[in-house]
Amino acid sequence: MLNAFKHPILPGQIGGHEGVGRIVTIGPPTTSTFSTPSTLKIGDRVGIKWQWSICGTCPPCLEGRDGLCFEGRASGTYMPGTFQQYVLGPANYVTPIPEGLDDVSAAPLMCAGLTVYAALRKANARAGEWVVVLGAG
Ligand SMILES: [Zn+2]
């Protein structure tokens, strides 16, 4: 079992886990069991999250709890993070970013935004209900 929180940081890492940019090249298809046909193309805007990749087949993944994936790989600890000019990301797990959303607004969604979203989802919060978010700035 690979888990970013149970293993030491691999040598040669670079920090950063809220990256937004444009695809400059696309590599060969993955052989992962989680591979799905990608509609991504060069020039598309995408984001890279704290959770760099997931297996898509373990119990947490099948329950939609990506952050607990048994084989999850974290940006900056298992894979070099987003404080680079060019960053590698798995085509099946980068996040498409709409053109109308600027980088400064989109980047925090790759970590803090997902954390809040996950909490709201777990709470089954519905439109029109009130929630309290601690630590949001
Ligand atoms: Zn998994």
Side-chain angles (χ1 to χ4, degrees):
M1 174 188 312
L2 175 67
N3 184 309
F5 301 106
K6 295 181 180 176
H7 293 273
I9 295 173
L10 296 180
Q13 294 303 303
I14 298 168
H17 58 268
E18 296 178 330
V20 173
R22 292 193 183 277
I23 296 173
V24 295
T25 190
I26 298 175
T30 178
T31 56
S32 164
T33 55
F34 185 48
S35 64
T36 56
S38 174
T39 59
L40 297 174
K41 59 187 180 308
I42 292 173
D44 284 355
R45 291 181 73 218
V46 294
I48 293 180
K49 303 171 282 296
W50 155 251
Q51 188 78 320
W52 186 85
S53 70
I54 61 170
C55 74
T57 59
C58 71
C61 282
L62 295 175
E63 295 170 3
R65 302 174 67 164
D66 300 17
L68 300 176
C69 173
F70 293 165
E71 303 294 326
R73 297 177 181 184
S75 296
T77 59
Y78 190 89
M79 294 300 293
T82 57
F83 294 157
Q84 308 176 77
Q85 186 170 2
Y86 297 99
V87 179
L88 181 67
N92 63 0
Y93 203 61
V94 295
T95 301
I97 305 293
E99 289 297 331
L101 185 62
D102 65 273
D103 291 353
V104 172
S105 299
L109 298 176
M110 298 299 103
C111 184
L114 285 174
T115 300
V116 172
Y117 171 74
L120 292 172
R121 203 174 83 183
K122 288 175 188 169
N124 292 318
R126 303 275 186 246
E129 294 180 337
W130 287 89
V131 296
V132 175
V133 181
L134 300 176

